[in-house]
Amino acid sequence: MADKHSDDKNNNWDQGTPQERIKAFEALKRAIDLFTNRSTAVDDSIQTYVTELPQWFQYPSNTAVKIRVGDDVFETDGFQPTANPLVTEARTRTGTDISIAVVRTDRRSDTGQQAWHESERALIDTVLSLIRSEIERWEVDSLKRVSDGVVVLDSDLRYTYLDHRAEQLLGQDIEELRGEHIWDGFPEAAETIVEEILQTAIETQSPKFFEQYHSQQAQWVEAQVYPSESHTIIVFRDITDAKTAERKIDRVLETTPVGIVLLDAEGTITRVNSRAEELLGVSRRKVDRKGYDDPDWDIWDEAGNPIPDEDHPVTRVRRTGETIQGFTHGITLQDGSERWLSSNVAPVKRVDGSIEQIIVALEDITVPKRLEQLIETLRPADAVLNNASTAEEIKQALCELLTETREYQYARISEHIPGTALTKSDLQERSKDVAASNSVTLPIQSQREFPPAEAAVETGDTQVVTRNQTDTQFEQWRAYTLDKGFQGGAIVPLKHRSRVYGLLVLYTDRGEAFGGREQTLLTTFGDRVGQVLYSLATERILHADKVAVLTFESTDSASFFVAASEQLNCTIDIIDTIPAADDMLVHYASVAGASLDALSDIAETADCVAPLRKISHTEDPPGGEIEIGLQRQSLAQTLVVAGAVVTRDVVTDGRAEVVCEVPLGNDIGALVTRVQDSFPETTLMSKREYTPTTEPNAHAVGRVLGDIFENELTERQQQVLRAAMYGGYFESPRRSTATEIADALSLTQSTFSYHLRNAQQTLFARLFDRSQ
């Protein structure tokens, strides 16, 4: 910007009286002294000159002076604006506005007093030029000392100053750019976010920051914008190397399996990786510049209580400067779901030991933490299961245990009769529904539960649905679950020896619920409950006050033994039936009146899952003992699955007589219907009732052995022991080898021997222990 006055101002020095000219030259000499041979700072020189300048004017005592350099003001005491001031203005190349104003404190516009002398006008014009030159030289020198590029724009966004570094960054000559509009020199940034940021900085008069890739130079440039009313300064810096290093760091951060959060020394978040976004449930945009102690973070300890600020790991690191590892806490995400995290928090220190940055590494421990809590939840269940005397006690107590924690908000146990088809009414155990809080509306029973419940009964596997499970075969059940406000549901079969005695229905608001390990734990839990339900049912039969004895007759050829007996005109006495692999049942039976070879031929054409094996045989009369594997092809099996105790199962000439016992309280009508559905040509011949009497001592010992067998041997041990007994393994000489029996049970010989030895050890050790 040029000086305000005309180019002939220097001629004004020749006007005025000699005395006026002398004063003007003395003032000029002093200005040259202060501003060209400077030994002090520019500001100090200006302040000195302001206080001295009035003495060289016509009326020193009534003259006041103000010099403005940018936003800095230097003035004599008592300076007040008046009419007709003597003013001159200029602007440096870098856009700094400079002005000098001189006023007469006693002058009024109507006094007719003499106007300013021309020599006085010439003086302030010359002094302004000196100050502008010195300020400009100082600014340019300062900008040259900056390693970054510097550009100065006027109020029309035209280049008024560029240093050589900016010339290199922009790739154009300084002289060609000076006076050009900013986007003429930097066209690729026009109509981009850069233009928007620059305009915002000017409108708000506040510094702004942006990064831009300069394709012509293949450089990343970082720019800081400093606006003022008269000009705008932009400081450029080449950050290409930093960007390259940052991309490498980004690759590391994005491939690490843990969440990384970077904070500055004050605890403000400056950066997060994708894993941290996922774990915290927020986007980078929302978390950027957010404090670690922001009230929006809902974190809590293992008891569910909010973590005080003084105990927060970041607070402790800022206070002590020491690393904290394995800080376990829960967090409630914005969608209401909960997650468990383990945090490692470490400071990054400067050379002087002060904290420059804080790094937080987050690991998701929700699954193991939930399993740990679930194990703790299920631990008291052992006491319930060990002490329960009825199934009703078990159902109510277990459901309450499961919903007293944060794991499940709803639980229900429904009983089921093994071997029967599931009905919708089996799920309507409304009195046993238990919810964690009043917010859960009871009862929760839906027709949508029936298909997965059927699958649980048929397969013996736990069935689950979750919010994230989009490929489920039970989509209607999933939709129902979500509609009820839950995140997932599970139906756990309560089974023993592959027979389902009940269903445990669970719902939860945990988004990550029912993973593989949790399902395994629930399956194990379901097996334990199923074993107890089976034991209680057996106890009810054995210790019933009154027992019903049912006698069935059947000529139904769907039974393998009925069909074979009819063809061979023989008698077959089924001694025992033992579950084996793949739903196969191994039958041990004695045969009288028929050749075992002939029976074997019939077995080869029948739907048998394992060949008939002769354990012993006689030629005259023909017969012997056999082992054969079948699948649901005997009347006795149907009764045992339904909970009856078979005491006799003999088939003669195609007619079977089967006698069983059931507690009088059982639904005998349903039992008969179930038998006749499987074998229609079956008739209930008689029913009688009796009250069991007190057993003699020999029977009491047998009862002890029976209890040990049922409750303390594993299912596999029970199968092996029974097969060895009825296969003649314990006889001398042995009628079956270990290999033969192992083959029948689909086991290796070594596995058979291992389970047999353990079964014998447990049986006799516990028998002798109880006898003392």
Side-chain angles (χ1 to χ4, degrees), residues 90-342:
R91 178 176 293 170
T92 68
R93 280 191 295 162
T94 59
T96 301
D97 290 321
I98 304 173
S99 65
I100 300 177
V102 184
V103 298
R104 297 271 175 82
T105 57
D106 63 342
R107 177 170 290 190
R108 301 291 184 270
S109 59
D110 57 350
T111 59
Q113 290 180 323
Q114 184 179 359
W116 298 100
H117 293 166
E118 291 303 322
S119 59
E120 292 174 332
R121 293 184 182 277
L123 172 61
I124 63 171
D125 285 341
T126 305
V127 169
L128 183 69
S129 295
L130 288 172
I131 294 175
R132 183 189 65 178
S133 297
E134 181 58 21
I135 293 294
E136 193 171 81
R137 183 183 67 79
W138 176 82
E139 288 178 336
V140 171
D141 287 346
S142 298
L143 292 175
K144 286 180 178 179
R145 287 194 294 271
V146 176
S147 60
D148 303 330
V150 178
V151 165
V152 180
L153 307 172
D154 63 17
S155 57
D156 295 325
L157 297 183
R158 297 185 180 278
Y159 295 100
T160 62
Y161 175 82
L162 300 90
D163 68 357
H164 290 288
R165 185 68 178 133
E167 180 184 34
Q168 294 173 0
L169 291 174
L170 295 176
Q172 298 190 46
D173 184 79
I174 293 178
E175 295 305 323
E176 291 179 358
L177 285 176
R178 187 174 288 119
E180 294 292 325
H181 193 272
I182 180 174
W183 306 128
D184 294 334
F186 198 15
E188 61 189 277
E191 298 182 357
T192 67
I193 188 65
V194 174
E195 182 175 356
E196 181 181 333
I197 291 173
L198 181 61
Q199 195 63 40
T200 301
I202 294 172
E203 290 175 357
T204 61
Q205 288 294 291
S206 59
K208 296 293 180 183
F209 164 90
F210 68 85
E211 293 179 354
Q212 179 74 13
Y213 181 71
H214 199 207
S215 58
Q216 291 182 354
Q217 306 300 112
Q219 288 178 317
W220 273 98
V221 174
E222 176 188 85
Q224 293 173 304
V225 182
Y226 302 98
S228 69
E229 292 183 0
S230 59
H231 66 279
T232 300
I233 297 176
I234 304 177
V235 180
F236 294 92
R237 183 164 66 94
D238 182 356
I239 59 169
T240 304
D241 292 342
K243 274 290 184 182
T244 301
E246 183 178 345
R247 283 197 295 270
K248 292 180 180 178
I249 294 174
D250 281 341
R251 285 196 292 271
V252 173
L253 292 180
E254 293 306 316
T255 55
T256 184
V258 299
I260 300 295
V261 179
L262 304 182
L263 306 95
D264 59 23
E266 285 69 43
T268 301
I269 297 174
T270 59
R271 191 172 186 176
V272 297
N273 68 350
S274 297
R275 180 58 174 156
E277 285 185 284
E278 178 185 345
L279 293 179
L280 298 175
V282 292
S283 65
R284 300 186 191 193
R285 180 178 59 81
K286 290 186 177 181
V287 79
D288 187 38
R289 309 311 300 174
K290 194 172 187 177
Y292 77 94
D293 54 354
D294 190 288
D296 286 346
W297 299 121
D298 185 4
I299 63 174
W300 26 271
D301 59 21
E302 298 196 42
N305 300 318
I307 296 175
D309 181 64
E310 62 270 17
D311 293 335
H312 196 290
V314 174
T315 302
R316 291 162 55 189
V317 169
R318 294 180 63 203
R319 183 175 64 244
T320 66
E322 297 178 355
T323 297
I324 294 177
Q325 294 183 333
F327 183 85
T328 299
H329 64 89
I331 180 171
T332 303
L333 306 185
Q334 291 183 348
D335 63 3
S337 61
E338 296 177 346
R339 182 167 288 154
W340 281 99
L341 300 176
S342 175

Side-chain angles (χ1 to χ4, degrees), residues 423-499:
T423 65
K424 290 184 171 68
S425 62
D426 289 338
L427 300 177
Q428 303 301 312
E429 293 281 343
R430 299 191 175 187
S431 62
K432 304 302 179 295
D433 292 15
V434 177
S437 69
N438 292 333
S439 63
V440 178
T441 304
L442 292 176
I444 297 179
Q445 284 118 12
S446 165
Q447 299 301 319
R448 307 292 185 268
E449 290 179 351
F450 188 68
E454 273 191 319
V457 170
E458 291 175 3
T459 66
D461 297 328
T462 298
Q463 307 297 316
V464 303
V465 288
T466 64
R467 175 177 291 278
N468 298 325
Q469 187 181 8
T470 57
D471 59 344
T472 177
Q473 60 178 319
F474 305 121
E475 181 55 38
Q476 290 185 334
W477 181 35
R478 175 177 176 270
Y480 171 80
T481 300
L482 300 180
D483 185 60
K484 284 291 185 179
F486 300 114
Q487 299 288 318
I491 298 180
V492 183
L494 309 178
K495 64 182 186 296
H496 179 60
R497 296 181 183 172
S498 303
R499 300 169 184 171

Side-chain angles (χ1 to χ4, degrees), residues 588 613-616 625-627 723-731 733-742 752:
Y588 290 91
R613 185 174 70 86
K614 304 172 187 176
I615 296 175
S616 67
E625 295 182 356
I626 63 165
E627 169 193 272
M725 174 64 189
Y726 296 115
Y729 179 79
F730 297 117
E731 296 184 17
R734 287 177 175 167
R735 290 189 289 158
S736 297
T737 66
T739 301
E740 289 173 331
I741 297 176
F752 167 80

Side-chain angles (χ1 to χ4, degrees), residues 746-765:
S746 300
L747 300 174
T748 64
Q749 188 273 332
S750 59
T751 301
F752 167 80
S753 299
Y754 171 79
H755 287 300
L756 182 62
R757 286 194 303 272
N758 285 345
Q760 291 172 314
Q761 172 69 23
T762 301
L763 190 64
F764 291 115

